């Protein structure tokens, strides 16, 4: 490395360029003052170790300096041994998106599967499980991927705040594919776990899977409008199939997702400090889950409150393959697509309102 003056030893886990070495050696004479202050300084040429080093006239313990170098760069010296390859980081992010979206389906759709056994009474009991499920999914994946867990939210980040998780069109597309994969896997698990529960319900209700009445069991996988459990045809509610049109359902899905995205982008905006605690924002996942629960309580009677294209279409594909057929896709009124298009319309709108209007800083113009 060509250094003959006494300076601190570069740990083997760091890579040092010739230029960086020259920059460090340029100040080696000053570091020699460390001996006068009782610090023993190492010499790169003979490879000795040093308990402490001199930095700008201050003697710093070597252990503390190494801890600093572990999280920062100093004159071209970087801790290369702990730097992960970008492909590894992307793979972890995609795995997190798949796992998190799968968890949402497991907990959320799983609560609907459980409800057909008669275990729950009322929408709020299902909604609260959805909310906690979403929060848990975010807590377990946020550090790896940003926890989008929803193609509509990924689109919103791509359009409104791409710098947050290094989003590019390609990365966003991979996120969406991972989310759909996770949703499908979660639905397959639900089908396997609740197969006997669903069969018992269908037997008790005289349902033949694939016939129109099987919408009552298919709702555990995909959404329908109005909510079949609250319709005169299939449940005990006031709705008829004509009460909620395709256009109305599309607007409700867009509106609900708009609110969800608005909350997400508001409570994670750097200028909104309300959620900060201990140097982070540990309450954000819980509040996003709470938002989902509230929105389900409000709008599930109308559209079953999807807000997430992967969470709807992934399980819907599984239901189609498992015997529900056209009841799953395209569904009554050929309306399955509103649970994809609606969220894709609403999420960017809500995100833009929070990011580009409510929390955007507009510098004062010079007089």
């Amino acid at each position: 490395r060509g250094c003959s003056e006494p300076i601190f030893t570069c740990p083997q886990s760091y890579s040092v360029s010739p230029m960086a070495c020259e920059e460090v050696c340029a100040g080696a004479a000053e570091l020699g003052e460390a001996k006068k202050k009782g610090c023993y300084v190492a010499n790169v040429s003979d490879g000795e170790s040093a308990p402490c080093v001199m930095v700008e006239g201050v003697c710093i313990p070597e252990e503390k300096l190494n801890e600093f170098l572990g999280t920062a760069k100093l004159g071209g010296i970087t801790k290369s041994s702990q730097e992960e390859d970008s492909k590894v980081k992307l793979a972890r992010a995609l795995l997190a998106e798949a796992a998190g979206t799968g968890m949402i389906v497991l907990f959320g759709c799983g609560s609907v599967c459980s409800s057909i056994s008669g275990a729950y009474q009322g929408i709020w009991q299902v909604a609260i499980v959805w909310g906690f499920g979403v929060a848990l999914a975010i807590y377990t994946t946020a550090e790896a991927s940003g926890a989008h867990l929803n193609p509509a939210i990924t689109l919103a980040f791509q359009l409104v705040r791409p710098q947050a998780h290094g989003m590019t069109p390609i990365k966003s597309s991979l996120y969406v594919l991972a989310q759909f994969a996770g949703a499908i896997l979660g639905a397959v698990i639900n089908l396997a776990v609740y197969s006997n529960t669903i069969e018992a319900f269908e037997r008790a209700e005289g349902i033949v899977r694939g016939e129109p009445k099987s919408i009552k069991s298919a709702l555990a996988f995909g959404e329908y409008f109005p909510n079949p459990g609250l319709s005169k045809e299939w449940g005990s509610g006031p709705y008829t199939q004509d009460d909620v049109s395709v256009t109305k359902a599309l607007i409700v899905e867009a509106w609900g997702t708009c609110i969800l995205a608005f909350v997400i982008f508001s409570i994670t905006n750097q200028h909104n400090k309300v959620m900060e605690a201990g140097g982070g924002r540990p309450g954000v996942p819980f509040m996003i889950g709470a938002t989902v629960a509230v929105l389900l309580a409000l709008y599930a009677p109308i559209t079953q409150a999807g807000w997430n294209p992967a969470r709807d279409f992934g399980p819907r594909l599984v239901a189609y393959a498992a015997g529900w057929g056209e009841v799953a896709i395209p569904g009554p009124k050929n309306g399955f697509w509103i649970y994809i298009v609606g969220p894709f319309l609403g999420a960017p709108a809500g995100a833009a309102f929070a990011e580009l209007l409510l929390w955007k800083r507009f510098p004062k113009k010079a007089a």
Side-chain angles (χ1 to χ4, degrees), residues 123 127 223-227 230 239 244 248-249 251-260 291-307 339:
I123 285 179
E223 281 91 9
Y224 298 91
F225 57 92
N227 188 322
L230 297 176
Y239 292 110
V244 181
K248 178 65 172 290
I251 293 172
V252 170
E253 283 296 305
W255 170 242
T257 315
C258 177
I259 297 174
L260 176 61
T291 303
V292 170
V294 170
L295 288 172
L296 261 71
L298 291 175
Y299 301 119
I302 303 173
T303 65
Q304 285 192 263
W307 322 145
Y339 295 101

Side-chain angles (χ1 to χ4, degrees), residues 32-269:
E33 294 295 319
K35 290 183 178 180
K36 298 179 182 179
K37 294 180 179 288
C39 287
Y40 177 78
V41 184
N43 192 300
V44 171
S45 61
D46 59 27
E48 293 179 357
S49 301
C52 52
V53 298
M54 193 73 171
V55 178
E56 295 185 356
V58 179
C59 198
I60 299 177
E62 183 185 54
E63 180 181 355
K64 296 297 183 183
L65 183 63
N66 286 338
E67 289 178 3
F68 170 76
L69 290 174
T71 57
K73 294 183 178 180
L74 179 62
I77 303 176
T78 60
K79 194 167 184 181
S80 58
S81 63
Q82 291 190 10
E83 292 249 346
E84 281 193 314
D85 183 83
S86 60
K87 293 182 179 179
V88 175
K89 291 181 179 180
L90 177 59
R92 178 179 290 109
L94 296 179
L95 181 61
E97 286 296 305
T101 311
M103 288 177 67
I104 290 175
V105 172
L106 283 175
F107 295 136
C109 294
S111 69
V112 182
C113 289
S114 182
S115 72
I116 65 176
S117 69
Y120 300 149
Q121 298 296 322
I123 285 179
W124 177 245
Q125 291 183 327
V126 174
I128 198 67
V129 176
W130 267 105
F132 276 112
V134 169
L136 291 171
I138 297 172
Y139 274 120
T140 54
T141 62
E143 191 66 22
S145 68
H148 296 189
L149 314 184
N150 181 336
I153 298 301
T154 294
L155 177 64
F157 270 106
Q158 175 64 53
L159 295 177
V160 177
R161 197 195 291 173
Q163 73 280 5
H165 310 121
M167 302 312 295
T168 65
I170 293 178
K171 186 175 182 180
S172 293
S173 298
L174 292 175
Y175 264 44
V176 170
L177 290 175
Q179 292 155 4
F180 274 103
I184 291 171
L185 179 59
V188 169
I189 295 173
N190 278 346
L191 181 63
V193 171
Y194 290 103
S195 59
N196 299 115
T197 301
I198 296 171
E199 289 168 1
F201 173 76
E202 290 175 334
R203 182 176 61 248
E205 295 289 326
I207 295 172
V208 177
R209 194 172 296 182
E211 293 186 357
K213 191 178 180 180
S214 65
I215 191 176
K216 297 177 66 174
S217 53
L219 60 76
F221 295 89
E223 281 91 9
Y224 298 91
F225 57 92
N227 188 322
L230 297 176
S231 69
K232 289 183 177 180
E233 289 90 340
W234 316 120
S236 57
Y239 292 110
T240 67
Q241 291 300 306
D242 293 332
D243 286 332
V244 181
S245 66
V246 173
T247 301
K248 178 65 172 290
L250 176 66
I251 293 172
V252 170
E253 283 296 305
W255 170 242
T257 315
C258 177
I259 297 174
L260 176 61
F262 171 74
V263 171
I264 292 172
F265 280 76
S266 290
I267 64 177
T268 60
N269 188 280

